[in-house]
């Protein structure tokens, strides 16, 4: 049974969206051919893994059919895997996860952590691949209505721990699990920053930690120009700064739109720290 990769530095997961409506790059790579080119470019820039997704999960996004999702992602996964890239599938559907692994994916990144599809956890247990358990409360169309917490750190940690327990009960091996606090999913900017300041609270769950902050709205709001959030593609510098801070804390991985700059930031952190950043790997 393959275990998830553990590097001597923070892993960089490059985002490969095959979508017309993702919040940052929707429409940039709407076909399998253009998405494959983008993925290969990210691979050449040093991506340790490529996360292929065919359905937008931005707040308010509408669902597509499973068939449409499969048609978008499978050719890309096959091509990237054939080129030697480690590929993960970004999906909430067990049907898509199974087909993606058959096409070459080695990890399932489910933003619902197995809650959206009751067949997901048993399917991943049968597949024997890595699984990202992300904190999730509701589908994209309704997620922001669920951004209510008594204490966001305590609540997210408790809910994530319950999702991990579900995955273990379904038969997924502990060493195949990664957790993601789900920045931006049923969370406002203050929630996101609070979670980032208290990532040490998630160590007790006992799983490596993946952070997906790239170009997200809370960064745009921090960099607000004239009262409007800075556009997504103008948030990369802030993303790099955050990656450096996360690498310094030994976070297992970051999920990002821009790979080379993240790898550069991580290299500087590792050199400064003497490669002793290992808290969340």
């Amino acid at each position: 049974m393959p275990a998830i990769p553990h590097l001597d530095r923070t892993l960089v997961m490059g985002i490969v969206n095959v979508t017309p409506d993702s919040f940052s790059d929707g429409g940039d790579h709407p076909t399998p051919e253009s998405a494959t080119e983008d993925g290969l470019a990210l691979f050449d820039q040093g991506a340790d893994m490529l996360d292929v997704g065919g359905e937008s999960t931005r707040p308010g996004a509408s669902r597509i059919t499973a068939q449409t999702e499969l048609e978008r992602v499978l050719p890309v996964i096959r091509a990237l895997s054939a080129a030697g890239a480690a590929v993960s599938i970004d999906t909430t559907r067990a049907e898509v996860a199974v087909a993606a692994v058959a096409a070459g994916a080695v990890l399932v990144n489910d933003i619902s952590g197995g809650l959206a599809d009751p067949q997901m956890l048993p399917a991943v247990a049968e597949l024997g691949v890595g699984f990202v358990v992300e904190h999730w409360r509701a589908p994209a169309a309704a997620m922001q209505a669920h951004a209510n917490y008594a204490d966001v750190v305590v609540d997210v940690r408790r809910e994530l721990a319950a999702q991990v327990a579900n995955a273990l009960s379904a038969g997924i091996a502990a060493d195949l699990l990664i957790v993601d606090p789900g920045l931006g999913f049923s969370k406002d900017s203050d929630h996101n920053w609070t979670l980032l300041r208290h990532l040490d609270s998630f160590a007790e769950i006992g799983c490596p930690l993946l952070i997906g902050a790239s170009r997200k709205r809370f960064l745009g709001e921090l960099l607000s120009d004239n009262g409007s959030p800075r556009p997504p593609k103008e948030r990369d510098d802030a993303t790099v700064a955050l990656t450096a801070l996360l690498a310094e804390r030994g976070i297992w991985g970051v999920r990002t739109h821009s790979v080379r700059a993240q790898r550069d930031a991580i290299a500087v952190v590792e050199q400064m720290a003497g490669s002793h950043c290992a808290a969340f790997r």
Side-chain angles (χ1 to χ4, degrees):
M1 179 180 293
I4 58 175
H6 288 276
L7 307 180
D8 60 0
R9 58 165 171 79
T10 293
L11 174 145
V12 177
M13 177 184 283
I15 299 169
V16 182
N17 286 323
V18 199
T19 58
D21 57 344
S22 292
F23 82 94
S24 170
D25 57 358
D28 286 357
H29 310 290
T31 67
E33 293 77 15
S34 60
T36 297
E37 288 183 12
D38 181 52
L40 291 173
L42 294 178
F43 186 43
D44 287 343
Q45 292 168 23
D48 301 298
M49 184 170 287
L50 297 172
D51 193 39
V52 177
E55 181 174 37
S56 175
T57 55
R58 62 178 173 78
S62 299
R63 296 228 68 180
I64 60 173
T65 66
Q67 185 59 36
T68 297
E69 188 177 356
L70 288 165
E71 290 171 356
R72 289 177 178 178
V73 301
L74 292 184
V76 181
I77 293 170
R78 292 190 188 103
L80 296 178
S81 297
V87 178
S88 59
I89 175 64
D90 176 4
T91 187
T92 61
R93 290 183 169 110
E95 174 186 356
V96 175
V98 171
V101 170
V106 297
L107 182 144
V108 176
N109 180 17
D110 180 355
I111 66 157
S112 80
L115 295 174
D117 183 344
Q119 298 306 311
M120 179 64 86
L121 296 181
V124 173
E126 180 68 23
L127 292 168
V129 297
F131 185 62
V132 178
V133 181
E134 183 168 330
H135 178 259
W136 187 84
R137 283 185 162 184
M143 68 169 71
Q144 293 313 106
H146 294 263
N148 303 298
Y149 301 89
D151 182 313
V152 68
V153 176
V154 172
D155 293 352
V156 171
R157 182 180 61 216
R158 182 184 65 250
E159 292 168 25
L160 257 181
Q163 289 174 257
V164 167
N166 290 339
L168 293 170
S169 295
I172 302 175
D175 65 349
L176 293 177
L177 294 175
I178 301 160
V179 297
D180 181 340
L183 301 180
F185 290 87
S186 299
K187 300 168 188 74
D188 62 25
S189 288
D190 287 342
H191 294 145
N192 294 326
W193 287 115
T194 299
L195 289 169
L196 286 168
R197 293 186 190 106
H198 295 88
L199 291 179
D200 56 322
S201 298
F202 295 91
E204 66 187 47
I205 296 177
C207 299
L209 198 58
L210 175 67
I211 301 296
S214 183
R215 298 181 180 174
K216 287 195 172 176
R217 184 178 178 87
F218 74 100
L219 295 176
E221 291 177 349
L222 174 70
L223 307 172
S224 177
D225 297 318
N226 301 317
S228 299
R230 190 172 294 180
K233 292 182 181 179
E234 296 178 22
R235 303 169 190 171
D236 283 344
D237 290 345
T239 301
V240 171
L242 185 54
T243 289
L245 293 169
L246 294 170
E248 189 174 36
R249 299 185 66 179
I251 296 300
W252 175 82
V254 292
R255 183 178 181 273
T256 183
H257 297 84
S258 60
V259 168
R260 178 167 289 144
Q262 318 303 322
R263 284 293 306 266
D264 289 351
I266 292 165
V268 170
V269 169
E270 293 295 310
Q271 183 66 23
M272 289 290 291
S275 298
H276 294 304
C277 305
F280 297 97
R281 293 181 194 148

